[in-house]
Amino acid sequence: MTRSFRHKRSSCLSHESLEVRAYLSADLGSASRALSRQVEWHGHTVDARADTWVVRTASAAATGAVVSSASLASLNLASNWQSTSLGDGFYSLKTPGASTQDVLGWAARTQGVAYVEPDFMIAPTAIPNDPSFGTLWGLNNIGQSGGLANADINAPEAWNTTTGSRGVVIAVIDTGLDYNHPDLAANAWSNPGEVAGDGIDNDRNGKIDDVHGYDFVNNDADPMDDNGHGTHTAGTIGAVGNNGVGVVGVNWQVSIMGLKFLAGDGSGSTSGAVAAINYATQMRRDFGINIVATNNSWGGGGASNALRDAITAGGQAGILFVAAAGNEAANNETTPSYPANYTSDAIISVAATDRSNNLASFSNYGVTTVDLGAPGVSILSTTPGNTYASYSGTSMATPHVTGTVAILAAAYPQATSAQIRTAILASTTPIASLTGKVATGGLLNAASALQYLAGVTTPTPTPTPTPTPTDPLEPNDSISTATSVFIVDGRATVTGFIGDGANATGDIDLFGIDLAAGSILTVDVDARSLSPASPLDSYLRLFSDSGSQLAFNDDFNGSLDSYLSFTVPTAGTYYIGVSSFNNSSYNPLASGSLQAGDTTGAYSTIFSVAMPALVADIVDVTPDPRSTAVDSISIAFNRAVTGLDLADLQLVRDGLNVSLAGAVVASTNGVNWVLSGLAGSTSSTGVYTLSLNASASGIVDAGNLPLSASASDSWTVTSAVLIDAGDTLATAAAIPVTVGSVRLSGTIGDGRNRAKDVDLYRVTLLAGQRFVVDIDARSLSGSSTLDSYLRLFNASGKQLASNDDFGGSYDSYLVYTARTAGTYYVGVSGYGNFNYTSTREASGRNGSTGVYQIALGFSAMPASTASNSIRVMGTRDSNNRLEFARQAAFATFTANCSAAIPSTPYRNLARR
C-alpha cells in the first residue's frame, strides 16, 4: 500500500539476520511482482508466494475428469479470498491475511478439496559456467576441442532413419520462444485451430490468438522469449536443418510450442508451471495436437502435489515430461530436486555430461532418481534476436533427450509414450562416469533408440470391414445429421455399427441429446464386452452444439470399450460421437472429415442422465473462535437457485434467536449468495449458529427441484485474551513455547505510557532454530487502528531485526534464524515509536495505538541452508556471447561483450 502523505519507509534488518527478505515472483495473469514468505512445510522451510496457495479439487484428483474452470466460490471460501483456475481442477487461491493454519483448516473441513499446498517460488540462481566454446559436439563428436570422439548421441546415424517431422509437437516450458529466429521460425508451432490476430478464441480452448503457444507470466498469447534460456533449449531440440543457416537441432523438422511461465529474469511459480503443463495436456487430449513431450529445463522448490499431478495427467494423455536433474553436483537420492525427482512413468530425468564422457562437474545424479546422461557442457544453440550462444547446464542436456523423443515419434507414429521412454532408457551407451550415478549407467543414443523401437513396434494393419446389414441410423456422421436420443426414466439404449456407412472404417455415429444445466450425463459403449464380442475398439467424444470437444474417452477400466461422465454446465443440446480408435480427430460439423479407424464392428450405447440433489453450504466462519463480530457470511449452492430470502435463515446465540433486521441476502449468479449486515447482530460473546431451513423454503433450481437438506454453521465469539506484556526487557512476558506456535492478543496504548506503550515478549531459541513473528491488526476482522512496528533484540537489548509493513499492509512480519542459543525479545509498538530503548520504559516517541494479535512460531529443527527456489538449469558460458550472421558464419562478439576477438570463419553447421 503506497502512503503518499509521509516519507517512504523500509524494513530495517541488521547483518545478524538475513531472514526477512522478498523475492520477485512471476504472477500468473499479470506482469506484477509479488512478495514471498518463508513457510514451514512438512518439516522444511520453503519460499512461497505470500498469501497464495495451489488447490486441487477432490473430483479432479479422483477421476482425472475435465473440470469446469469456475472459481472455488462453491467450496466455502472466506469473503476476501479469491481463486483463479489453472485448468483441469487446479486453482490458485489468494488468502489475504490468512495464516497457514487457517488455510489448512479450511481444506480439512471442506468437502471437495483434495489438497492445498503453498505456491512454491520459482527463481533463477547462478550455476557453474564453462568458458570453452564448442560446436555441436553433442550431436556428433569427432574429438573437436580436445573432446573424446563419439562422446555424443549419434545424431547423424539417427538421421539415416529420419530427420524429424513437423507433425510432431514439442512443448518447451521455459522463458519463452523466439519464434521469429531465422533458425527456428520454420519449426515454430502454429495452432491449426486459431486465426492470428482476430481477437477471437477460434478453437475455443479458453485462450485468444494462441498461435505459437501462451505466456502464463503476462497472461497473453505471445510467448516471445525475453531471457534466452527457452530459445536455447528449443534450438537443441529443433533448429531447422539443411537450411544453410546457423546450427541444426536433433530434429531438422519438428513443431515447437512455446509455453512461457518464467519471466525475463528467469523467475516463476508453481502455479505458472501447472498452468503451462495443463495447457499442453489440454491441447493434446481435447484438441488433437500431437504433443509427444514437454521440455522442462528448470527445477527446485518443495515437492508439489499439484505439479506432480499435472505431470501425471499429461502422462496419461500420452505426453512425456523430460526434466533437468539439477546443477548442484548433488545426489538426488538424498537431496531431492523437483520436478525431476517425482516418481512417474511419464518423467525422464537427465544428467549432464561433457565432451569427454565425464559426468559434468555441476550435474546432479542419482542411481534411482536420474535416468540417463546427455551432453550439457558448452552447448551451442539459438538465442533471441538472430543470435547464438554457448550454454552449460542440465538445462542443455535435457533438450537432447526431448529432441530424441520427437525423432522416435516421427519415425514410429504408432509408438506409445511408454514404448518411446523404454526405447530411450534401454538403448543408452554405457560409460564409466555414469555407472552407479544414473539408473541406466549410460549416455543417450538416438540411433540405438530408433533401432530398439523398430524391434518392438510394427504398423497396425487396417482390417477389412465385416459386412453387415444397412444400419437404419445412417447417415449420422455429422452434427447436422445426428440421431436424436430421448431419455425415458433417466436412461436410453441405442445400438449401432461402425463401418457400415459411406465412410467405411472412418465411419462415425453421432447422437444428439437435450440436457439441463447441472445434470450428469454418462455414456457407456459396449463392444468387446458384448456376447459374442465385437471386434470394435471404440473411441468416444462429447461435443457442444458448435462442435467444440468437451470430453473424450478411449479405453475404460482395462477394456477397449469406452465410457465418460460429464456434468452439464449450461442447458442445451449436446452431441456424442462413437468411432473406431485412431479416428479420433474428425470434425463433427463436416461429414467425411475422418481418419481411417483401426477396427469396425457392432456396439451398444447406454445413455444415462441424472440430476444431483440440490444442496447448500454455509461457508465456515473464520477465524473461529474469534473476538470480533462477523459482518457477512457466504452461502453456496451446487447450482443456481431462486427463492432464497431472510425468512429461510435463522440466527441463534446460545440457544436464543437473534434478529436479522437490517441484514440483506443477495446473489449475482444464483449460485453464490452473501448474507451481509450482520455486525450488529454478532458482536456479543457466545456461540452462534446460522441455519438455512430447507422445509417450506421456496428455494428451487431452474428445473423447479427444491433444496434437499438444511445447512448450518456455528462459530464462537469470545473476549480477546490479553497478555500483560511489559515495556522493558526486565518486565517482558515470558513465552513458554519452544517448538510449534502460539497466538496471543494485546493492545498498544492501554498502559500508563499511552502512545509510547511497548509490549515485549521473552522467548528461548536454539542455535539454528527458525523463529517467525506475525502481527495482525489491520487484517483483523473489523480492523484495528494500530499501524504496528516489530523489533527483535538479543539478551543485552541489541536490535537484531525489525519490520514495519509487510505484504502491502500496515501489519508487520519477520523471520529470524538464531545464530546462538539463548534468550531473545520481541518488541511490538506503534509506527512512530520505533527507536525506543528496550531497557528503559517510555523511552520512545508517540506512535500508533490499537489492538493486535501476535503469532509466534518456532521451528522443530535447525533451519536448512539448502536452496528452495526453482530455477532454470543452464546459463550462458562466460565470454561466449556469439552472434552468427544470417548465412551460417559469425564474425564478432556482440556489443555487450567486454572484449573482442579476431574474426573467425565457421563452416556450415547443418548436416546434409
Side-chain angles (χ1 to χ4, degrees), residues 251-298:
N251 296 262
W252 296 12
Q253 301 88 216
V254 70
S255 291
I256 301 175
M257 173 189 290
L259 298 180
K260 177 178 174 63
F261 89 104
L262 297 173
D265 61 0
S267 67
S269 65
T270 304
S271 56
V274 169
I277 296 166
N278 285 345
Y279 177 95
T281 301
Q282 177 194 29
M283 294 305 290
R284 178 179 174 91
R285 182 192 62 208
D286 301 341
F287 296 90
I289 303 302
N290 187 31
I291 302 170
V292 298
T294 60
N295 189 86
N296 304 276
S297 293
W298 45 272

Side-chain angles (χ1 to χ4, degrees), residues 733-812:
I735 305 299
V737 176
T738 56
V739 174
S741 64
V742 62
R743 191 174 187 89
L744 304 166
S745 298
T747 302
I748 297 299
D750 60 341
R752 64 189 178 190
N753 297 322
R754 299 183 181 275
K756 294 181 181 179
D757 187 22
V758 176
D759 285 354
L760 281 156
Y761 302 88
R762 184 174 74 249
V763 300
T764 301
L765 301 177
L766 300 174
Q769 188 172 25
R770 190 181 298 274
F771 178 50
V772 180
V773 185
D774 190 355
I775 299 293
D776 290 321
R778 297 297 179 93
S779 57
L780 291 175
S781 178
S783 190
S784 167
T785 56
L786 179 64
D787 177 0
S788 61
Y789 198 88
L790 192 58
R791 302 174 73 188
L792 181 68
F793 304 95
N794 64 12
S796 63
K798 178 183 177 181
Q799 179 177 298
L800 304 177
S802 68
N803 180 258
D804 175 15
D805 301 336
F806 182 82
S809 77
Y810 288 161
D811 294 341
S812 309

Side-chain angles (χ1 to χ4, degrees), residues 128-502:
N129 290 325
D130 188 294
S132 300
F133 169 74
T135 55
L136 305 181
W137 67 267
L139 303 184
N140 186 36
N141 193 338
I142 58 174
Q144 62 266 51
S145 301
L148 177 67
N150 295 320
D152 56 35
I153 71 166
N154 284 339
E157 293 82 353
W159 292 334
N160 289 331
T161 301
T162 181
T163 56
S165 167
R166 291 199 175 101
V168 173
V169 182
I170 295 293
V172 172
I173 300 178
D174 212 290
T175 62
L177 170 70
D178 182 0
Y179 46 80
N180 293 325
H181 194 293
D183 223 359
L184 289 172
N187 283 348
W189 175 70
S190 182
N191 187 346
E194 203 68 30
V195 177
D198 67 351
I200 299 173
D201 181 11
N202 305 101
D203 60 2
R204 302 193 179 191
N205 69 345
K207 302 290 187 288
I208 296 173
D209 290 340
D210 51 328
V211 176
H212 298 301
Y214 202 77
D215 178 354
F216 294 94
V217 176
N218 301 300
N219 197 27
D220 61 44
D222 184 7
M224 179 57 70
D225 190 359
D226 52 2
N227 173 281
H229 187 268
T231 299
H232 193 279
T233 63
T236 298
I237 294 166
V240 179
N242 204 34
N243 65 344
V245 175
V247 295
V248 61
V250 177
N251 296 262
W252 296 12
Q253 301 88 216
V254 70
S255 291
I256 301 175
M257 173 189 290
L259 298 180
K260 177 178 174 63
F261 89 104
L262 297 173
D265 61 0
S267 67
S269 65
T270 304
S271 56
V274 169
I277 296 166
N278 285 345
Y279 177 95
T281 301
Q282 177 194 29
M283 294 305 290
R284 178 179 174 91
R285 182 192 62 208
D286 301 341
F287 296 90
I289 303 302
N290 187 31
I291 302 170
V292 298
T294 60
N295 189 86
N296 304 276
S297 293
W298 45 272
S304 162
N305 287 325
L307 190 56
R308 181 199 61 210
D309 285 356
I311 294 167
T312 299
Q316 291 170 347
I319 302 175
L320 291 174
F321 185 94
V322 188
N327 298 320
E328 293 76 36
N331 186 346
N332 285 0
E333 307 287 311
T334 56
T335 308
S337 177
Y338 297 102
N341 260 69
Y342 293 124
T343 302
S344 170
D345 290 338
I347 295 177
I348 302 177
S349 175
V350 188
T353 59
D354 66 15
R355 68 179 72 242
S356 297
N357 266 352
N358 299 309
L359 179 68
S361 60
F362 53 78
S363 180
N364 289 3
Y365 54 91
V367 71
T368 66
T369 52
V370 180
D371 292 308
L372 78 170
V377 178
S378 298
I379 303 300
L380 181 68
S381 187
T382 50
T383 45
N386 191 20
T387 61
Y388 299 76
S390 176
Y391 282 23
S392 293
T394 52
S395 278
M396 288 57 256
T398 302
H400 284 86
V401 178
T402 310
T404 300
V405 173
I407 278 281
L408 268 60
Y412 300 99
Q414 77 277 20
T416 67
S417 58
Q419 288 174 325
I420 290 175
R421 182 178 185 270
T422 298
I424 289 174
L425 300 185
S427 61
T428 58
T429 301
I431 60 175
S433 69
L434 296 181
T435 301
K437 294 291 187 180
V438 300
T440 62
L443 180 72
L444 173 69
N445 189 325
S448 293
L450 281 167
Q451 293 172 2
Y452 183 96
L453 195 57
V456 296
T457 60
T458 55
T460 303
T462 301
T464 302
T466 302
T468 184
T470 301
D471 188 344
L473 301 179
E474 293 291 345
N476 60 344
D477 287 50
S478 67
I479 283 178
S480 63
T481 60
T483 302
S484 295
V485 174
F486 300 98
I487 301 297
V488 178
D489 294 330
R491 186 181 176 95
T493 301
V494 177
T495 59
F497 195 99
I498 296 300
D500 60 340

Side-chain angles (χ1 to χ4, degrees), residues 840-890:
R840 192 171 75 248
E841 189 173 344
S843 58
R845 299 182 178 182
N846 289 338
S848 174
T849 61
V851 299
Y852 68 91
Q853 292 185 6
I854 180 171
L856 304 172
F858 305 79
S859 69
M861 59 185 65
S864 170
T865 58
S867 172
N868 287 299
S869 62
I870 300 179
R871 66 275 184 196
V872 295
M873 292 295 189
T875 192
R876 185 189 307 275
D877 296 336
S878 61
N879 298 324
N880 264 338
R881 173 69 175 176
L882 304 176
E883 179 173 290
F884 277 59
R886 293 180 181 272
Q887 297 301 319
F890 71 89

Side-chain angles (χ1 to χ4, degrees), residues 530-549:
L530 293 175
S531 181
S534 168
L536 177 66
D537 178 0
S538 62
Y539 196 91
L540 189 59
R541 302 174 73 190
L542 176 69
F543 304 96
S544 67
D545 57 2
S546 64
S548 294
Q549 180 174 289

